[in-house]
Each structure stands twice: as structure tokens, then as C-alpha cells.
Amino acid sequence: MLGKENFLGISTEAISSTKGVGGYGGLCCCSPPRCFFLGFWLGIALFQVVNLRILGPFPTFPSFQSCKKPKYTPLADLEKAQFQEFQSILREKPAQEFKIVIGIHASNKFFLSLARPANWVSTEHISVLISMLVRRHGRNYLSGTCRFVDYFSIAGIISKFAEFEKASDKLGFNWGGLVSFSFTGKKPRRNDKKVLLVDMDRVYAPMMWGKDHWVGLVINLTCRQVEILDCNISLNESDNEVNKHMAYLLRALPHVLAAFSPPSDSSHPEEDQEFSWVRPDNNYFNERSGDCGPCAVKFLEMHAAGYSYEDMGQINDKKVDIFRQKYAMDTYEEFIGNAKVQNDG
């Protein structure tokens, strides 16, 4: 249980119970010179803590800090007691809010809602999940010639499509910095040096259909096909319904690809290079509904790791409950435990 915190966000109970250098009670029991140096370094440490608070209060949860690279297992089990401890800590201060390193404000309630079964998740939840996967496995994804992009990248393409159709210079159309970075990895002070169709041939992205249904997209750049990973096909069962959701993106992708691919001697007849879609029906079906967001991310995660549709079909409601809890703990650990640690396990 957490004790009271002082204005620095440090548990006062933890301080009052700290042993001195010589093993006695109190903060110090050493000689004046040693006391001076101890106080000097303590002052620096406190100064750093104050500066760090510009990102929000940082509670001391050593059990959930990013201290090592996690072993990757897509459908790992979770000890019930471990999640209960995590849950009880966050429930003490559900409104406590953090500004995490990717620029999103997230409260303890935000992480608890991610863990709740059958609870629909927001675009912010999906952004945090995708960012966590990239931070932990980004190097593995890039070495496997694929890239994960955020929901907002796909939404950015769709939102600009009407403007794009009116543009006279379609090859030189400005799709915006977010789309550019998503497909090239290039922005100020950062360059992954990966080239479309040369170093990278797959793009993984979440997409929202309508206002409340998440699917995962595997965009295969070389064969120009989009695999749609959908945990509830019955919501959009017909091809016409799928086409309504996918039409703008499928029409825009050839032009986005032409804009960000390396120069080629051959021309790009974009009209003849349209993308198609396929939607497998042998993965997990979320009949109870409400888990489409975490399921879409899990499907993408497993596909990128080489798992098949049949493997995804082995998921059941109980496993969804578990990986939702793990997602809550993993994202909390990644961004609240220590936002500066970027795991690549």
C-alpha cells in the first residue's frame, strides 16, 4: 500500500522508514564530511525529481518499473495476484494523471479501463498500445521489413483524400508530416533509414470502421493487398460494407506509395496499381463484443511475429481477459515506470 506523499511525490512513509548509512534509523548518522557529500548528492537528486515533475507525478512502484527487457510471448499467462496488486495500487488514486512521453495524458483510470473485459477502448488507448509495441519490439519489426504506424496515420490519409483528388500535381501532393514519417521513418533528429519497397514491404496499422469498431490492417506493399484482421466479421458481413470502409484508403495507397518510394526509371501508372483487400475468417471471433481494439492490436502483434490466422483462432474470451490485463500493465510499466527506458525484447 502506498503511504502519504510529500510535494515531490515521494512517499513520506518510505522516507521515515529509511535506514541511515550505518544501518541506524534516520536519514544520516555519519561524520560531517560524509554528511556534507551525502547532502550534496541528495540535493542534486531532489532537484532532478522536481524537474521531472513537469511530466506529472511519478509514484514509486518498483514492481512495475521498466528495469529489464521483457521476454516476448504473445499469449503469456498472468499471475492473478500480480494483476490484483497492480489494480489495487491504481485504484487508490484513479484520477492521478500523467503526461507520458508520446504526448498523451493518461490517468490511472485510463489504464484500468484498458484491462476491463468487454470495455471499448479509445484512439488514445490504441496509440499507447501501438507505441508500447514499437518501443519494445521496434528493432525486431524493422529487421523483419515491416513497420507499425498509428491510427492517426491512416486517418490522415483518408481525411486528405478529397483534397488529393482535386490536386493537379498528385505525385507532389503534400500528405502531411505524420503520414510522411509513418511511411519513411524520417523527421527532424530521427531517421530510421528504411526505404519503402526496398527495406520495408509491410505496414501494420489499426483502423476504426465507423465510430466504434476497430480492425487491424496488414498492408502488403509489394503484392498490393491489405489483410483485414477483424474479430467480429458479423458487424460488417458483406463485401459492400467492407468496401465502404476501405474505398478511400485503397484508392489513396498507390499514390502514397508512389510519393514516398525511391525514384524509379519506370513510370508509375497509379490507376493500374490499385490495392485489394482480403479478410480471413478463421481467427478469433469476439462474440461478446467490446474487445475489438485490444484484439486488433493483438492480431497485428501476432502477425508481425510470424503467427498464423489459425494461431489467432486459438484465442478465446479468457485469453482476451488476460492479454488486456497484461496490456494495461505493460503500457503502464513502459510509460509510467520509466519512460526513458526503451525495451527491445
Side-chain angles (χ1 to χ4, degrees), residues 32 56 66 86 90 98 124 138 166 173 195 210 256 293 322 338:
S66 300
F86 169 80
L90 269 62
F98 311 89
E124 287 79 11
K166 297 177 182 178
F173 181 76
V195 181
V256 173
I322 292 173
N338 189 342

Side-chain angles (χ1 to χ4, degrees), residues 159-175:
S159 67
K160 280 183 167 285
F161 186 74
E163 181 185 348
F164 165 79
E165 284 199 311
K166 297 177 182 178
S168 56
D169 180 12
K170 288 184 165 46
L171 191 60
F173 181 76
N174 180 14
W175 290 97

Side-chain angles (χ1 to χ4, degrees), residues 14-22 24-30 35 38-39 42:
I15 291 178
S16 63
S17 63
T18 301
K19 296 290 185 180
V21 176
Y24 304 101
L27 286 177
C28 183
C29 65
C30 45
C35 185
L38 179 62
L42 180 60

Side-chain angles (χ1 to χ4, degrees), residues 249-325:
L249 180 63
L250 294 178
R251 289 165 61 188
L253 279 173
H255 302 281
V256 173
L257 194 58
F260 298 119
S261 296
S264 174
D265 293 335
S266 61
S267 60
H268 291 277
E270 287 89 355
E271 297 81 6
D272 300 327
Q273 297 180 354
E274 293 183 357
F275 277 69
S276 61
W277 62 265
V278 61
R279 182 170 59 165
D281 59 3
N282 54 343
N283 51 12
Y284 162 71
F285 173 47
N286 184 232
E287 187 174 3
R288 70 186 184 187
S289 189
D291 301 301
C292 57
C295 284
V297 174
K298 181 57 69 174
F299 288 163
L300 295 175
E301 178 188 353
M302 292 180 69
H303 191 290
Y307 289 85
S308 66
Y309 300 142
E310 289 75 17
D311 293 324
M312 300 175 201
Q314 299 303 309
I315 297 174
N316 54 39
D317 290 353
K318 183 178 179 180
K319 290 182 179 179
V320 173
D321 294 347
I322 292 173
F323 74 63
R324 288 194 66 145
Q325 292 175 354

